[in-house]
Amino acid sequence: MEKKKIIIIGAGPGGLAAGLLLSSKGYSVKIYEKKPYVGGRNSSFNLGDYKFDLGPTFFLMPQVLEDIFIEAGERLDERVNLIEINPMYRLKFYGLDDFNPYSYNKKFLMYGEMEKIFPYSSKSYDKYMNRESKKFSKLEPCLKVPYLSLVDYLKPNFLKALPYLDAHKSIYDVLGNYYKEEELKLSFTFQAKYIGMSPWVAPGTFSMISYLEHKYGVFHVEGGLNRVSKVISELIIKKGGEIFLDTPVKEILFKDKKAIGIKLDNGDTIE
Ligand SMILES: Cc1cc2nc3c(=O)[nH]c(=O)nc-3n(C[C@H](O)[C@H](O)[C@H](O)COP(=O)(O)OP(=O)(O)OC[C@H]3O[C@@H](n4cnc5c(N)ncnc54)[C@H](O)[C@@H]3O)c2cc1C
């Protein structure tokens, strides 16, 4: 039987992850990428002997990528070396010692860091980790399903998560429930900048970003984060998929409202 054909536009992390999963399930995958390299916003450039990531520079929640690799019959740890970074970062406040947050698997170091600068604050840290853990466990299932109609917002998982959504507050307000010191509120809210927002404006739902950093840690990918995209593209090719670089797609072709192929910038059509 002829393999079902899949066309993917763009070899960014999204297109590559889809390409890996589909090629591992036996589909005939063709990825068309307009740039001369893979990775999209997770690409890199070289300057002399040095390589620089253009997009993300550190890695969160490796288990998400591990799950994708396992589903594709592969192992992430055989192909990518992830190095956990502790302390995760160094925060400097005027007139205070440096504050170096550690991930939760080094919580005694974190308690020490907190108490060194903010006495009695490690209890607040535990309160924050416990409540945010509950919040994440309620919200995570809701992040894995599409919301294509209003009815999707009435599904049991979403309704159960509603009391934890914190969407009517800002991230800064949510952190105010745990910490009274201004510096601590800032230490757990600056992560709003990852989604391009201010902690005073971003919905409190996103307080889970700093929780995820503390819970699962922050990782460096040996060789740069762009290696993840390169490795996935190699696996797609190993599984019989094809990646066409320097090949911009001009339009998606439809018949009876169904996508049936694409037209490339050079005029070729692929169905
Ligand atoms: C500075 C920076 C820091 C970031 N930090 C983080 C982080 O810490 N954690 C995190 O999760 N995310 C981070 N991101 C975001 C992350 O890089 C993106 O979410 C991710 O790259 C999105 O993947 P994507 O495949 O959906 O889109 P993209 O990466 O944008 O890939 C889309 C691809 O499609 C190609 N394309 C577009 N149009 C066409 C066409 N017509 N024909 C052919 N090809 C086409 C593009 O060239 C591109 O390669 C960061 C991004 C930046 C820029």
Side-chain angles (χ1 to χ4, degrees):
M1 202 173 72
E2 202 196 354
K3 286 184 185 174
K4 190 164 181 183
K5 292 184 201 160
I6 305 283
I7 293 172
I8 295 173
I9 305 171
L16 290 171
L20 176 61
L21 290 171
L22 291 164
S23 57
S24 70
K25 298 208 174 347
Y27 293 100
S28 158
V29 171
K30 287 184 168 41
I31 303 182
Y32 294 86
E33 168 56 53
K34 70 176 174 186
K35 297 260 174 67
Y37 47 79
V38 297
R41 278 173 285 160
N42 171 225
S43 50
S44 62
F45 73 97
N46 291 310
L47 201 59
D49 291 339
Y50 298 93
K51 195 167 119 194
F52 297 87
D53 276 321
L54 273 170
T57 47
F58 62 79
F59 200 62
L60 294 182
M61 293 187 80
Q63 63 272 31
V64 174
L65 194 57
E66 274 160 14
D67 287 349
I68 292 175
F69 270 61
I70 289 169
E71 209 175 322
E74 300 288 338
R75 292 224 358 222
L76 179 66
D77 61 351
E78 284 177 0
R79 297 179 185 272
V80 176
N81 191 18
L82 294 176
I83 302 158
E84 189 176 352
I85 305 167
N86 264 310
M88 299 192 285
Y89 29 76
R90 175 162 297 167
L91 302 176
K92 286 182 179 290
F93 292 105
Y94 183 73
L96 291 178
D97 283 350
D98 285 2
F99 178 42
N100 305 314
Y102 286 85
S103 61
Y104 206 60
N105 62 15
K106 299 231 181 292
K107 66 178 166 187
F108 293 106
L109 290 173
M110 182 61 177
Y111 291 162
E113 272 300 304
M114 295 193 74
E115 298 279 337
K116 172 183 92 181
I117 314 175
F118 313 103
Y120 310 112
S121 58
S122 58
K123 280 209 168 51
S124 311
Y125 178 65
D126 275 341
K127 189 174 149 201
Y128 153 78
M129 289 301 285
N130 290 336
R131 195 317 173 133
E132 291 294 312
S133 159
K134 208 174 265 176
K135 171 171 167 173
F136 183 64
S137 69
K138 301 279 179 203
L139 289 175
E140 192 189 16
C142 307
L143 299 174
K144 293 181 169 171
V145 290
Y147 292 87
L148 303 175
S149 80
L150 278 177
V151 181
D152 291 329
Y153 292 93
L154 298 174
K155 286 188 179 154
N157 275 343
F158 190 79
L159 294 177
K160 273 190 233 159
L162 269 182
Y164 293 88
L165 214 50
D166 293 335
H168 57 298
K169 300 179 197 163
S170 69
I171 298 186
Y172 184 80
D173 288 339
V174 171
L175 267 293
N177 293 336
Y178 310 111
Y179 304 114
K180 56 181 187 318
E181 297 86 348
E182 185 66 7
E183 294 85 356
L184 279 179
K185 287 189 217 169
L186 293 177
S187 303
F188 290 85
T189 55
F190 78 87
Q191 292 81 355
K193 76 181 176 61
Y194 302 169
I195 50 168
M197 294 181 89
S198 142
W200 287 271
V201 175
T205 319
F206 292 107
S207 63
M208 64 181 154
I209 306 178
S210 58
Y211 161 74
L212 294 172
E213 280 186 354
H214 282 264
K215 171 73 182 167
Y216 298 111
V218 162
F219 294 82
H220 170 67
V221 178
E222 198 174 88
L225 218 145
N226 170 252
R227 227 188 105 58
V228 172
S229 290
K230 293 228 169 85
V231 161
I232 297 180
S233 66
E234 286 159 16
L235 285 173
I236 292 170
I237 291 163
K238 183 184 121 185
K239 289 172 190 299
E242 292 173 275
I243 301 176
F244 302 90
L245 300 176
D246 262 327
T247 314
V249 174
K250 190 165 188 182
E251 62 176 294
I252 301 173
L253 305 172
F254 291 91
K255 190 176 176 190
D256 299 330
K257 294 190 176 170
K258 197 175 155 201
I260 52 155
I262 53 170
K263 184 170 184 185
L264 302 179
D265 260 15
N266 66 13
D268 290 354
T269 58
I270 291 125
E271 291 188 4

